[in-house]
Amino acid sequence: MINYDILVTGVGGQGLLTLGSIIGVACSIRGLDAAVAEVHGMSQRGGSVVVYIRIRSEPGPVMPVGGADHMLALELLEAARYMHYVKRGGHITINDFTWPPPLATYPSREKLISEMRAKGVKLSVVNANDLSTKITGSPISANIALLGYALGVDKSLRDILTLEAVEVALEEHFSGRALELNKNLLRVAFEEGLKLGE
Amino acid sequence: MREHPLLRPRGSRVLLLGNEAIARGALEAGICFATAYPGTPSTEIVEVLSEVAKECGIYVEWSVNEKVAFEAAYGAAIAGVRSLTAMKHVGLNVAADILMSSAYAGVEEGFVVVTADDPSAHSSQNEQDNRWYGLLAHLPVIEPSSAREAYKLVKEAFKLSSEYKVPVIFRSTTRISHTRMPIELEEDIPATKKCRGEFTKSYERWVLVPAHARRRKLELMKTWSALRGEERFVTIFNPGREKAIVAAGLAYTYVKESLEILGLSDKVTLVKVNMPVPLPSKPLIGVLERAKEILVVEELDPVMELQLKDLVVTGGFSVNVIGKDLVPGNYELTPEAVYRAIAKFTGASDKLPWEGIDPVKTEPPIPPRPPVLCAGCPHRSTYYALKVAVNKTGLRNVVYTGDIGCYTLGYQKPFETQMTCFEMGGSIGVAHGLAKVIDNPVIAVIGDSTFYHAGIPPALNVIYNKSHVLVLVLDNITTAMTGHQPHPGTGVTAMSEPTTRIMPESVLSSLGFKVYTINPLDVKKAIEEFTRALEDFKRGEKVAVVSRMRCALEVLRDARRRRVVLPVYTIVDEKCTGCMACVKLTACPALIVEPGSKKPRIESVLCAGCGLCAAICPYGAIVTANKPSENWVEVWSKL
């Protein structure tokens, strides 16, 4: 029986709900039960956003602290904020992008990454914004790139969702040229993730 | 075009958001009428119904507020047309008057009132538990334990309503409404539905004058009593154990998870309740007879616990019922909170089975990230222009009353132009009372959708009862915070039909306000207009200002679709002195100061091109970095 929890975090507006939904559709395609818990409304306005994805039979939506097998973070400060949700020995895949809140003082990118590395988790820092821009012409698909990297890096996640199911899931969200670009982006990120995971 | 996920055939497996699942269930139940005023976490129920309305042949509307939405759907139900209305928890407060009366008069066909509660107040001003409304109105409350169960149970709710001829309250919560789950569709949406009704006159039933109301009350109490005998909304696992756990709604999933981890799944009686109000006495008395100790797990208030304790006292059972002593009554439930309660109840160790890595600690610490006005948000420009004009006019110690919407975020620095926020329309109503008793100038700030919802009666009151309040309507021509639903000022209905556009300025001027209409993106002119309005206000005139510009999120979306290039700004390093005026006066999320840097930069990915920072920069250091399309201004101003 599969019990696997994924925490998706970032800043409202970065495509977190889309990412959660794509993973949910992939679970559905794979015949797995899952719950993808989002928060809408005011918190989406540039606020800190968390999506819980719990892959298990009849899941409760809220994830316990220390329950996440893999955290996908679209932003560095949010990765650090929610890191304690990750199990000891769990995976963290982070988009190398810092988006500070207005008027805030905050730790540097280098400091954040070194602090996180010191925790002894399986940490992958990837540049999803750049890869998205390179392939689709805009950073708007960084969420898809991040998922591709994560699938490459984490064998358990790859076995549960499969690249093929995720590709089919993309069809629920995109069509035409956007679909082709995102499929390509997913695959390139996946290949790079595989190399990182080695 | 791809088929709408809501319309897939029987047997399909679809990932549905809880709210979509409720909508699909209602369609399968044969509704032909649905109404709502948008409100998180309820919005998507009627939003998706509006998307499929024409194809399904049903009627769907965004009503101006929850009371009106309730009345409309109730009107359909008393004429024999199955209907649904959906609202957020606090929306039911707005509709409470008709809710109470609808219980007395009843319905002719199934009528379900969805209340989407918001434990933890993720997107609300409180976390009230609307199951109390069931006890108050003597109406049944159905509470699903998951998005998937919401799909199934909404159909049962319609059946219950049709059978007993009373409205049924369907209580969802944020974690039901906003959770996606794979769902197998059990039935097709019926091709033919009853969409035309008939109003049968019955003065004794529909006219609640005191004599009729007294008779109807007795009818209602008969139904209430019969509902207690219902057994279909209670499921009992492992009957007969000494320890029993009674769980309502979502709490059930966490209870089940904890029992599995503790290896106690077979050791306790587990009672899943999907109708917490009125608590079905028959199946629960069976549990009370055999158990020695009962733990009640429910989210927020002890609604079920109190009814169960009542059964214990009335029936003289010797059983100990524990609830809120072990289960938190504030905020949404978590797996940890439920685990601890069950561990204590069963005598197991309450050491949590989940072990995470230690939190990251840095210096400076990770800054909090509350929601903020988006880059390019026209409210930012309005607030800036307002504050400059207030200074120019010499108004001191202005009190800004506020309201519900994205613009509530103006309570933050540097604007601080929202000093209260209680409920829809409250800005103007509270401003009136304040203006009667304080000497400060009072400015009521309200959004367009909120103005139509509940802002018009208090604006009327300001004129009638002669208070000195300036009304400022922030009009972005949409209901922005809930995801851009149309309203009476948009000129289009939920079913995408063109309709009369009702402008806030026409309403306000007909009430007797002198109205200024301004464009906040033309910063200089906006300040001039605001200043004129404030001068009039100082002289004692009745003044209102409507500041109109489209929501930046819609503008960005439309620009993408229409391939219009919007301006993107950049800071010329040689001209920038590092005075930080742009950063401090706008708090725009696209203006970033890197650690150690003395000058800001503009994150081009985030810049929406509103130009406020460029208008503020005293050194002319902020310029467009690209060549925008010639018609870019139209995307902002035209619908």
Side-chain angles (χ1 to χ4, degrees):
Chain A
M1 199 159 75
I2 291 169
N3 286 320
Y4 195 88
D5 288 359
I6 304 165
L7 187 125
V8 177
T9 186
V11 182
Q14 283 193 296
L16 292 129
L17 303 193
T18 306
L19 180 52
S21 173
I22 286 168
I23 296 173
V25 172
C27 289
S28 182
I29 292 167
R30 297 278 293 150
L32 300 167
D33 197 2
V36 181
E38 312 168 345
V39 169
H40 297 203
M42 190 182 255
S43 57
Q44 279 177 283
R45 300 288 175 261
S48 161
V49 172
V50 172
V51 180
Y52 304 121
I53 304 165
R54 309 195 72 201
I55 308 171
R56 57 188 64 235
S57 170
E58 294 194 8
V62 174
M63 187 180 294
V65 170
D69 295 277
H70 198 139
M71 175 167 86
L72 299 175
L74 277 156
E75 199 272 342
L76 271 160
L77 291 163
E78 295 312 309
R81 190 188 316 281
Y82 292 105
M83 199 167 164
H84 59 291
Y85 268 83
V86 180
K87 272 181 192 165
R88 286 170 191 270
H91 273 279
I92 300 182
T93 307
I94 306 177
N95 181 20
D96 192 355
F97 172 61
T98 312
W99 180 0
L103 309 175
T105 51
Y106 58 100
S108 69
R109 167 191 176 274
E110 291 68 26
K111 196 176 222 167
L112 282 168
I113 293 176
S114 71
E115 282 290 328
M116 288 192 271
R117 281 214 193 283
K119 300 287 179 187
V121 282
K122 295 165 193 155
L123 182 77
S124 312
V125 182
V126 299
N127 205 323
N129 278 27
D130 280 1
L131 191 67
S132 171
T133 308
K134 199 173 124 194
I135 292 179
T136 70
S138 118
I140 205 163
S141 286
N143 52 353
I144 307 298
L146 191 68
L147 178 56
Y149 281 116
L151 288 166
V153 170
D154 178 356
K155 186 173 182 307
S156 307
L157 181 66
R158 177 160 79 236
D159 290 345
I160 292 167
L161 295 180
T162 73
L163 183 67
E164 294 69 30
V166 174
E167 283 184 332
V168 179
L170 290 180
E171 291 168 13
E172 292 272 333
H173 284 269
F174 305 102
S175 59
R177 186 167 152 71
L179 176 63
E180 287 317 307
L181 288 173
N182 278 291
K183 272 191 177 176
N184 187 23
L185 175 61
L186 179 77
R187 201 163 270 277
V188 173
F190 173 73
E191 300 291 341
E192 289 199 16
L194 279 178
K195 278 181 229 155
L196 284 175
E198 276 165 11
Chain B
M1 222 176 86
R2 267 170 304 175
E3 186 187 31
H4 199 288
L6 215 64
L7 300 180
R8 303 243 162 110
R10 178 169 54 111
S12 310
R13 190 175 152 90
V14 240
L15 185 79
L16 291 181
L17 190 67
N19 280 341
E20 296 169 340
I22 291 169
R24 169 73 190 209
L27 285 172
E28 286 181 20
I31 58 156
C32 201
F33 201 96
T35 62
Y37 178 81
T40 314
S42 71
T43 311
E44 298 80 6
I45 301 169
V46 161
E47 186 160 58
V48 289
L49 287 172
S50 78
E51 288 163 14
V52 303
K54 284 195 174 151
E55 202 168 338
C56 289
I58 67 168
Y59 177 78
V60 178
E61 74 171 38
W62 289 123
S63 313
V64 294
N65 65 34
E66 293 87 354
K67 166 181 145 67
V68 175
F70 193 119
E71 289 160 348
Y74 182 60
I78 66 171
V81 174
R82 273 203 173 188
S83 64
L84 171 143
T85 185
M87 54 201 71
K88 66 183 293 170
H89 57 333
V90 289
L92 197 52
N93 300 339
V94 178
D97 201 349
I98 176 73
L99 171 79
M100 300 304 292
S101 295
S102 73
Y104 277 48
V107 295
E108 280 299 288
E109 237 320 335
F111 174 46
V112 170
V113 180
V114 182
T115 164
D117 294 5
D118 191 16
S120 284
H122 291 285
S123 207
S124 305
Q125 64 269 39
N126 75 25
E127 60 164 10
Q128 70 186 49
D129 186 334
N130 272 8
R131 295 177 302 169
W132 293 116
Y133 271 117
L135 291 169
L136 184 66
H138 298 105
L139 290 175
V141 179
I142 302 296
E143 191 180 7
S145 69
S146 69
R148 184 180 301 128
E149 203 177 54
Y151 158 70
K152 293 168 194 273
L153 276 177
V154 79
K155 297 190 273 186
E156 296 302 317
F158 274 105
K159 270 187 212 154
L160 194 73
S161 173
S162 297
E163 281 168 37
Y164 288 87
K165 295 211 181 303
V166 288
V168 170
I169 299 172
F170 192 86
R171 188 225 193 186
S172 180
T173 58
T174 299
R175 296 302 184 180
I176 302 275
S177 282
H178 285 161
T179 292
R180 293 176 198 275
M181 288 184 94
I183 293 173
E184 306 229 356
L185 301 177
E186 298 170 329
E187 292 168 77
D188 283 321
I189 298 165
T192 53
K193 292 169 269 283
K194 192 184 173 200
C195 293
R196 302 304 304 164
E198 197 182 334
F199 178 68
T200 311
K201 277 189 271 184
S202 168
Y203 298 102
E204 294 74 19
R205 185 171 174 198
W206 307 129
V207 183
L208 292 177
V209 292
H212 300 165
R214 284 192 286 267
R215 282 202 290 275
R216 292 301 306 175
K217 174 73 192 292
L218 300 181
E219 288 297 313
L220 174 61
M221 295 318 284
K222 260 190 238 166
T223 308
W224 181 246
S225 169
L227 282 162
R228 285 184 190 281
E230 272 293 337
E231 293 194 64
R232 60 187 131 162
F233 298 104
V234 176
T235 318
I236 301 176
F237 306 91
N238 315 319
R241 306 286 194 270
E242 286 194 354
K243 283 183 192 282
I245 299 178
V246 181
L250 187 62
Y252 166 77
T253 61
Y254 299 127
V255 170
K256 200 175 134 280
E257 185 177 355
S258 290
L259 288 174
E260 279 164 16
I261 296 170
L262 287 160
L264 295 171
S265 296
D266 305 330
K267 306 278 190 308
V268 298
T269 296
L270 177 56
V271 185
K272 172 163 160 276
V273 178
N274 290 116
M275 187 170 83
V277 176
L279 190 64
S281 48
K282 203 172 152 198
L284 280 151
I285 282 172
V287 177
L288 294 173
E289 280 168 348
R290 295 157 85 176
K292 291 217 169 74
E293 264 192 311
I294 294 181
L295 175 69
V296 182
V297 187
E298 58 192 322
E299 206 156 49
L300 296 180
D301 296 343
V303 171
M304 205 165 58
E305 181 185 341
L306 294 181
Q307 295 178 81
L308 198 63
K309 283 179 171 168
D310 181 44
L311 284 180
V312 170
V313 173
T314 316
F317 297 103
S318 55
V319 50
N320 190 23
V321 177
I322 312 158
K324 291 298 161 191
D325 287 344
L326 288 183
V327 181
N330 300 324
Y331 316 144
E332 68 181 8
L333 289 178
T334 60
E336 292 97 322
V338 174
Y339 187 92
R340 281 196 199 99
I342 293 180
K344 276 199 189 118
F345 175 67
T346 56
S349 154
D350 66 354
K351 186 181 178 304
L352 292 174
W354 304 281
E355 206 178 353
I357 47 188
D358 304 330
V360 175
K361 289 204 180 78
T362 54
E363 194 50 53
I366 297 155
R369 192 190 300 273
V372 290
L373 295 174
C374 304
C377 176
H379 299 330
R380 174 179 290 106
S381 301
T382 303
Y383 283 149
Y384 172 77
L386 170 63
K387 299 233 23 178
V388 173
V390 163
N391 280 339
K392 278 177 88 169
T393 327
L395 286 170
R396 292 285 170 266
N397 302 317
V398 176
V399 171
Y400 299 92
T401 57
D403 227 299
I404 309 268
C406 297
Y407 53 91
T408 314
L409 298 170
Y411 80 86
Q412 295 162 332
K413 283 185 190 314
F415 306 113
E416 297 171 316
T417 44
Q418 296 271 289
M419 296 176 178
T420 65
C421 170
F422 305 115
E423 30 70 270
M424 294 289 283
S427 58
I428 305 176
V430 171
H432 173 76
L434 280 171
K436 288 279 184 190
V437 301
I438 63 174
D439 297 326
N440 318 47
V442 182
I443 297 181
V445 185
I446 187 167
D448 45 349
S449 197
T450 309
F451 176 71
Y452 300 112
H453 177 289
I456 297 173
L460 188 58
N461 197 48
V462 162
I463 299 292
Y464 171 53
N465 284 311
K466 301 194 283 185
S467 64
H468 194 49
V469 170
L470 187 145
V471 174
L472 168 58
V473 180
L474 302 176
D475 184 3
N476 54 16
I477 330 171
T478 190
T479 315
M481 194 164 77
T482 47
H484 306 108
Q485 294 76 22
H487 61 50
T490 314
V492 64
T493 69
M495 292 169 72
S496 307
E497 280 164 10
T499 182
T500 310
R501 226 181 135 182
I502 301 148
M503 308 303 278
E505 56 267 38
S506 3
V507 176
L508 288 162
S509 50
S510 72
L511 296 180
F513 286 95
K514 178 175 182 184
V515 188
Y516 287 83
T517 306
I518 66 165
N519 165 8
L521 257 48
D522 188 344
V523 183
K524 202 168 150 236
K525 204 162 161 223
I527 294 171
E528 287 168 16
E529 291 281 300
F530 256 134
T531 308
R532 269 197 285 277
L534 290 167
E535 293 290 356
D536 289 349
F537 179 62
K538 247 174 104 173
R539 277 195 298 274
E541 289 188 54
K542 308 282 184 199
V543 181
V545 178
V546 177
S547 179
R548 178 171 302 124
M549 188 48 65
R550 296 186 71 202
C551 169
L553 294 180
E554 285 202 304
V555 170
L556 289 168
R557 183 201 63 199
D558 288 354
R560 245 190 334 264
R561 285 186 187 163
R562 297 182 208 161
R563 297 180 191 277
V564 172
V565 180
L566 296 171
V568 171
Y569 286 83
T570 188
I571 299 176
V572 181
D573 192 54
E574 304 82 69
K575 288 192 180 174
C576 176
T577 65
C579 74
M580 299 289 175
C582 58
V583 175
K584 287 183 185 150
L585 295 175
T586 70
C588 176
L591 280 161
I592 287 168
V593 188
E594 307 278 0
S597 172
K598 297 255 184 304
K599 291 178 183 180
R601 68 174 178 85
I602 293 173
E603 177 62 61
S604 60
V605 174
L606 305 175
C607 177
C610 72
L612 178 63
C613 58
I616 288 174
C617 179
Y619 304 99
I622 305 183
V623 297
T624 45
N626 62 345
K627 191 173 176 298
S629 308
E630 274 177 25
N631 58 342
W632 71 269
V633 177
E634 284 176 18
V635 188
W636 277 98
S637 55
K638 280 193 190 159
L639 283 179

